[in-house]
Amino acid sequence: MKNIWIIAKREFQTFFDSLVAYILLFAFLGLTGFLTWFFGNDIFLVKQADLSPFFDFAYILFIFFIPAITMRMIAEEKKAGTLEVLVTRAISDWEIVAGKYLACLMLVGTSLLFTLPYYFTIAWLGPMDHGATIMGYFGLLLLSSAYIGIGLFASSITNNQIVAFLLALLIGLIFAFIFDFSASLFPGGVGNFLDYLSFNTHFNSISRGVIDSRDLIFFLTLTALGLLLTERQLAQRNVID
Amino acid sequence: MKLTKSTLNIRTLLYIGIFLIVNLIAYRAFFRLDFTADKRYTLSDSSKDILENLADQVTISAYFSPNLPPDFENVKNDFQDMLSEFASYSDGQVVYEFLEVPQEDAEKAKLQQSGLAQVQIQSRENDEIKVVNGFMGAIVKLGAQQEPIPLIRDVRGMEYSLASSVKKLAIKDKPKVGFVQGHGEPPIQQMPQVAQMLQVSYVGDTVNLAQPNSWAAFKTLVILKPQQPYSAQELAQLDEFLASGGNLFVGLDAVQANLQGQGPWGPLNTGLETWLGEKGVRVEQSFLVDQQGIQIGVQTPQMTPFGQMNVTSYIDFPYIMQINNFEAHPITEGLEVMLMQFPSPISLSLDSTSKGGNLVYTSQLTGKQPAPVFFNPNKQWTQNDFTAGPQPMAVWVEGSKANQDSRIVVAGDGDFPIYQQGQQFIPDNANFLVNAIDWLTDDTGLIQLRTKGVVARPLEKQLEAGERSLVKVLNFLLPILILLGFGLYRRQKRKMQTLKWKAIDYS
């Protein structure tokens, strides 16, 4: 546990030591800010004291934002060969993966913290449903947790950051939109199965203010699957043929 | 253990297998926690009350067409969740089933006859968008009686439809609500929205006060928009009714206006205003004007190149107004906006035997014009016409010298619940009257349910265009500025650190 935390802290600081975190956060905040307050279905057009426009936009932006965070996580270390340095320090593969996952989640959490002015502004403008809104944020965290699992896995199967980014983007798009869309094409059991796999179904359910154990377990097990497969990918180095 | 490719592959399959199995189990056994402020997705106490007191078994048959698109499939799931909650709170008295929707037209017609609505559902089959007729409804049965829920298309209102249908069937003796007639009061047929809501819990009937004790069977009487005077005997009957513990709703037009012509618009005397005055409720014979008034079209003859023609122009008409200023009370709970035409202000002066309060007010910018009023369509309304402040237009009173339990609700307008052909009807106008009747009859069971889950949360703060822009720009820039500030601070800190390191003398 201690090792995981050390890695997470180091990775988190690395984000802010380079320009990466600033550019990503700048892009994320600029886009959500613009979309939430100025563009299309903005708050003053919808005239409802809730943050759902923001949640809807964040749902889409995370598909791009999170692969950009995770892409270098493992691919870079594989390319530079620095993984071995970590491993020789008696840190297991699992600790590396978990630490990096935690660092990414902390960065996403930070990006959400920066949107707190939206929360307070809307609470000031009208009678916001605080419970439902906080659940919306919680839903975004769960959603990003699953995206990070996917992103880390994508980063672990290649040495190339661009490939890792595109792969994570592709898998993310499938979970965010393709399952949702194809569920409407297949009636009955297949449709229900695809609908269950769709992020949209689970995220909508949480962001309306209801914690359903099904949504919780879906996002958490998907995260775990992503991380376990990442670890499995790292273990491949040690395969004896 | 030696790590080989095959152990790794087995591991991969194992992980995916566990993922699928855990989710499959989770799909079957689940729980939900509702964090919404109004507990929108949780059964309310009034539903639980109805269910716990069920004496006979209620069967709910749900009909959902197969192969619904996923959004509708979700509605079906929500409905199923709610039915299982209903069943568990009813202690086995509610049973439900999902029945197959028949394919044959004759059978479908039977379903429609029992009250289910046929809806058009778009579905995609073999790469073609097909529109099929389907059903998304339910039939609630108790013994030989049955009650349809024609269409279920949203989780909102689902609980009310279900609970009210169950209640409708389960209530043995519905309290009677009497509509007083004989003085030009409109019959209940002119209030279809109100009638429909009332029949859930009440039996409605007409009452003629000219006959002594005609009120005896009723718990609540409603007097709406009387046009002719009440006789002394009739008023005495009302007094007896209240003394016996009865409750009364009065929607009174104390002034009379005629939109054709320009007036004068005068007071209307029915004797009720004096009678109510004795009870401490004074309906003023004045017109209220409110800046939240509507616009109406007027026809004015104008000279055009084609000769004289009537041209419609729109003028401000502050005598008909939107009302969204409500006092917190069970009657006004969940109401958002009502529309009142030619209302009069009401004031209360109660003695120590009764208590009461206001229910509904006009907006901050309100003016008062004592009758008679001459209406001038060319008038330019300014702020100076609206200086009277918010005026109460509906009040409640509980208890009197004769009986401590009787209740009265008075509204300074009699038109609001009446449906006028060709005009948009404001649902809260009906909700207000039905809520008032619920409160008067002390049957508070369904009162909160009716508006549950439809509570809008509008932006309340009134901002001018400039302030709005400021809020927008601040919210856009603030997170970014904090980020930049944080970045600069870190950079500065690192710089200082580097300088410190450089300053160390290693010699």
Side-chain angles (χ1 to χ4, degrees):
Chain A
M1 203 52 215
K2 202 175 150 214
N3 286 339
I4 296 177
W5 179 238
I6 290 169
I7 293 176
K9 228 163 65 177
R10 193 205 65 170
E11 288 288 345
F12 188 65
Q13 269 169 358
T14 316
F15 278 129
F16 284 97
D17 285 340
S18 69
L19 268 178
V20 179
Y22 296 102
I23 294 172
L24 279 175
L25 285 177
F26 185 83
F28 176 73
L29 294 173
L31 276 169
T32 47
F34 177 71
L35 293 169
T36 310
W37 295 96
F38 291 101
F39 176 80
N41 289 334
D42 68 62
I43 301 276
F44 285 103
L45 195 82
V46 182
K47 288 203 175 69
Q48 291 290 313
D50 70 32
L51 268 175
S52 52
F54 163 66
F55 294 139
D56 292 346
F57 295 128
Y59 175 78
I60 296 169
L61 286 174
F62 273 172
I63 302 173
F64 302 91
F65 178 53
I66 292 174
I69 299 175
T70 54
M71 62 179 187
R72 50 165 276 280
M73 281 313 221
I74 292 170
E76 197 182 54
E77 302 233 22
K78 272 171 86 173
K79 195 171 180 187
T82 41
L83 267 180
E84 300 314 320
V85 182
L86 282 176
V87 176
T88 48
R89 292 186 152 219
I91 294 174
S92 70
D93 284 355
W94 172 248
E95 284 169 332
I96 296 172
V97 175
K100 283 172 186 278
Y101 160 79
L102 206 58
C104 294
L105 196 63
M106 277 154 62
L107 186 64
V108 175
T110 311
S111 76
L112 291 179
L113 278 183
F114 274 108
T115 65
L116 281 184
Y118 305 174
Y119 181 99
F120 292 118
T121 304
I122 290 171
W124 171 71
L125 283 172
M128 181 159 81
D129 187 338
H130 293 279
T133 311
I134 291 167
M135 282 307 117
Y137 273 106
F138 181 63
L140 277 182
L141 272 184
L142 278 176
L143 176 77
S144 20
S145 164
Y147 275 135
I148 294 169
I150 292 169
L152 287 179
F153 172 66
S155 179
S156 72
I157 47 181
T158 169
N159 292 343
N160 187 327
Q161 294 188 27
I162 308 291
V163 175
F165 175 79
L166 290 176
L167 193 65
L169 184 66
L170 180 72
I171 304 175
L173 283 173
I174 290 174
F175 274 102
F177 295 111
I178 309 288
F179 281 143
D180 195 41
F181 173 72
S182 45
S184 61
L185 303 185
F186 298 98
V190 181
N192 283 347
F193 178 68
L194 292 172
D195 190 53
Y196 183 82
L197 286 179
S198 153
F199 281 180
N200 205 9
T201 310
H202 298 282
F203 179 65
N204 277 345
S205 164
I206 297 178
S207 66
R208 68 181 184 176
V210 177
I211 291 280
D212 189 315
S213 59
R214 286 171 289 192
D215 306 322
L216 216 59
I217 285 174
F218 173 76
F219 280 127
L220 293 181
T221 51
L222 192 65
T223 308
L225 181 67
L227 298 186
L228 286 169
L229 289 180
T230 309
E231 189 216 0
R232 179 227 170 262
Q233 213 54 39
L234 289 185
Q236 207 157 354
R237 291 175 322 216
N238 310 322
V239 164
I240 310 152
D241 280 318
Chain B
M1 196 178 77
K2 262 201 286 183
L3 204 54
T4 62
K5 234 188 171 120
S6 63
T7 41
L8 277 184
N9 287 341
I10 289 169
R11 229 196 257 182
T12 310
L13 287 177
L14 198 68
Y15 292 155
I16 295 175
I18 291 174
F19 170 75
L20 289 176
I21 289 168
V22 171
N23 275 278
L24 198 69
I25 296 170
Y27 191 71
R28 303 265 167 217
F30 60 90
F31 65 88
R32 286 157 65 135
L33 296 176
D34 186 350
F35 285 92
T36 55
D38 39 9
K39 293 280 168 276
R40 193 179 299 181
Y41 305 101
T42 311
L43 279 202
S44 65
D45 288 341
S46 39
S47 299
K48 289 180 197 162
D49 250 19
I50 296 171
L51 294 170
E52 280 159 13
N53 294 320
L54 273 181
D56 303 296
Q57 193 166 67
V58 174
T59 312
I60 301 168
S61 312
Y63 292 89
F64 279 81
S65 290
N67 303 339
L68 290 169
D71 336 348
F72 293 120
E73 201 69 44
N74 286 335
V75 174
K76 184 183 165 186
N77 290 338
D78 283 334
F79 190 60
Q80 194 159 8
D81 291 349
M82 186 154 288
L83 282 176
S84 74
E85 299 232 348
F86 264 64
S88 66
Y89 278 106
S90 72
D91 210 11
Q93 291 290 53
V94 169
V95 265
Y96 65 91
E97 52 191 356
F98 275 77
L99 294 180
E100 217 166 287
V101 175
Q103 296 298 313
E104 307 82 50
D105 286 346
E107 293 291 313
K108 279 188 181 175
K110 248 189 216 166
L111 278 187
Q112 268 180 298
Q113 270 165 18
S114 47
L116 290 195
Q118 202 170 73
V119 283
Q120 298 206 318
I121 297 166
Q122 268 198 13
S123 78
R124 200 180 151 132
E125 256 173 53
N126 301 331
D127 289 326
E128 270 179 71
I129 301 283
K130 271 175 64 180
V131 178
V132 289
N133 287 326
F135 290 96
M136 298 169 66
I139 297 176
V140 183
K141 288 185 207 129
L142 189 149
Q145 295 172 282
Q146 62 175 45
E147 181 65 34
I149 303 173
L151 184 60
I152 301 155
R153 66 162 119 223
D154 197 337
V155 65
R156 294 182 298 189
M158 202 181 265
E159 185 185 350
Y160 175 64
S161 343
L162 258 179
S164 60
S165 311
V166 171
K167 184 170 180 182
K168 216 163 166 178
L169 294 176
I171 290 183
K172 291 264 160 27
D173 303 305
K174 294 185 187 179
K176 284 182 87 177
V177 174
F179 285 76
V180 178
Q181 302 282 304
H183 319 83
E185 293 97 342
I188 184 136
Q189 288 81 0
Q190 288 186 23
M191 300 172 260
Q193 292 86 354
V194 173
Q196 205 202 337
M197 285 195 259
L198 280 183
Q199 61 157 338
V200 177
S201 318
Y202 306 100
V203 177
D205 205 350
T206 55
V207 175
N208 185 356
L209 289 176
Q211 293 162 2
N213 288 331
S214 54
W215 43 263
F218 296 93
K219 259 192 117 167
T220 301
L221 290 185
V222 178
I223 298 176
L224 266 180
K225 209 188 173 191
Q227 305 289 303
Q228 286 115 36
Y230 275 58
S231 68
Q233 289 88 334
E234 288 176 313
L235 293 175
Q237 288 286 307
L238 279 181
D239 275 324
E240 277 184 47
F241 173 65
L242 290 180
S244 76
N247 310 296
L248 181 64
F249 183 94
V250 185
L252 191 65
D253 283 348
V255 287
Q256 207 170 22
N258 183 1
L259 273 179
Q260 278 72 43
Q262 303 186 353
W265 297 339
L268 176 65
N269 295 307
T270 56
L272 276 171
E273 53 300 317
T274 343
W275 181 80
L276 283 170
E278 291 160 14
K279 311 265 173 295
V281 182
R282 198 167 86 87
V283 187
E284 269 180 60
Q285 294 186 312
S286 317
F287 286 90
L288 286 174
V289 284
D290 189 326
Q291 218 195 20
Q292 293 189 15
I294 61 161
Q295 288 204 317
I296 58 166
V298 286
Q299 300 268 327
T300 40
Q302 269 180 21
M303 280 311 288
T304 67
F306 314 102
Q308 186 170 330
M309 288 174 88
N310 275 338
V311 179
T312 308
S313 54
Y314 287 88
I315 57 164
D316 288 326
F317 196 70
Y319 299 95
I320 302 183
M321 62 205 70
Q322 288 198 14
I323 303 292
N324 52 10
N325 197 354
F326 298 105
E327 190 79 51
H329 191 274
I331 295 178
T332 52
E333 173 123 17
L335 298 188
E336 279 160 39
V337 65
M338 291 172 68
L339 194 76
M340 294 270 198
Q341 35 185 321
F342 305 106
S344 301
I346 302 184
S347 53
L348 282 175
S349 54
L350 300 172
D351 56 27
S352 56
T353 54
S354 38
K355 54 181 182 173
N358 299 324
L359 292 168
V360 180
Y361 303 90
T362 53
S363 76
Q364 290 289 336
L365 294 170
T366 298
K368 233 194 253 187
Q369 299 181 340
V373 164
F374 290 88
F375 174 57
N376 171 15
N378 297 322
K379 180 176 168 62
Q380 294 296 316
W381 295 91
T382 65
Q383 294 275 353
N384 293 335
D385 294 308
F386 306 108
T387 51
Q391 296 292 316
M393 287 183 335
V395 297
W396 61 272
V397 176
E398 196 171 352
S400 66
K401 278 194 199 96
N403 194 314
Q404 276 305 303
D405 295 327
S406 69
R407 293 169 163 186
I408 306 177
V409 173
V410 183
D413 173 36
D415 296 290
F416 70 91
I418 297 164
Y419 174 67
Q420 279 156 338
Q421 205 77 47
Q423 276 183 24
Q424 201 198 343
F425 185 77
I426 311 289
D428 276 348
N429 279 16
N431 284 333
F432 177 77
L433 179 57
V434 178
N435 284 357
I437 291 174
D438 277 346
W439 180 75
L440 288 168
T441 325
D442 199 18
D443 195 337
T444 46
L446 287 172
I447 202 167
Q448 315 103 328
L449 267 193
R450 189 174 305 116
T451 42
K452 185 182 174 189
V454 290
V455 181
R457 298 181 167 273
L459 296 182
E460 274 174 350
K461 196 135 284 184
Q462 297 297 324
L463 297 182
E464 283 167 27
E467 295 170 320
R468 257 204 320 267
S469 303
L470 183 70
V471 168
K472 286 181 174 194
V473 170
L474 265 184
N475 269 285
F476 177 66
L477 286 183
L478 197 63
I480 295 174
L481 289 179
I482 297 174
L483 176 70
L484 285 181
F486 178 69
L488 288 177
Y489 166 75
R490 262 185 82 93
R491 205 177 91 139
Q492 197 59 32
K493 213 172 109 185
R494 276 164 59 112
K495 234 183 200 166
M496 298 304 286
Q497 191 70 48
T498 321
L499 282 180
K500 237 198 237 161
W501 281 334
K502 275 189 184 162
I504 296 173
D505 193 350
Y506 292 100
S507 56

